[in-house]
Amino acid sequence: MDLLSYPRSSLAVVTIGGSIAAGLLHGLIQHQRRAREQRRVRTTDQQYLNAPTG
């Protein structure tokens, strides 16, 4: 076994793992953002629909 190949493969695993973790975190943040925006729009729509007409 080549001594130089172990640190490189270990670095690759850490890099891939970090990329996956960053992607999951990004997806979670985006999901929360979308859900918050949908709630905001739904609330605004309900307020508009329930407003007295005159």
Side-chain angles (χ1 to χ4, degrees):
M1 178 170 146
D2 183 19
L3 291 177
L4 293 177
S5 67
Y6 180 74
R8 265 190 230 133
S9 65
S10 178
L11 179 61
V13 168
V14 169
T15 302
I16 291 168
S19 297
I20 291 170
L24 288 171
L25 182 61
H26 174 72
L28 181 63
I29 291 169
Q30 288 298 99
H31 173 73
Q32 292 297 325
R33 237 181 236 161
R34 265 193 306 274
R36 186 171 51 242
E37 179 66 13
Q38 284 175 353
R39 280 193 305 271
R40 186 189 68 76
V41 169
R42 200 175 310 126
T43 302
T44 304
D45 285 348
Q46 284 303 313
Q47 288 172 348
Y48 175 76
L49 293 172
N50 293 331
T53 57

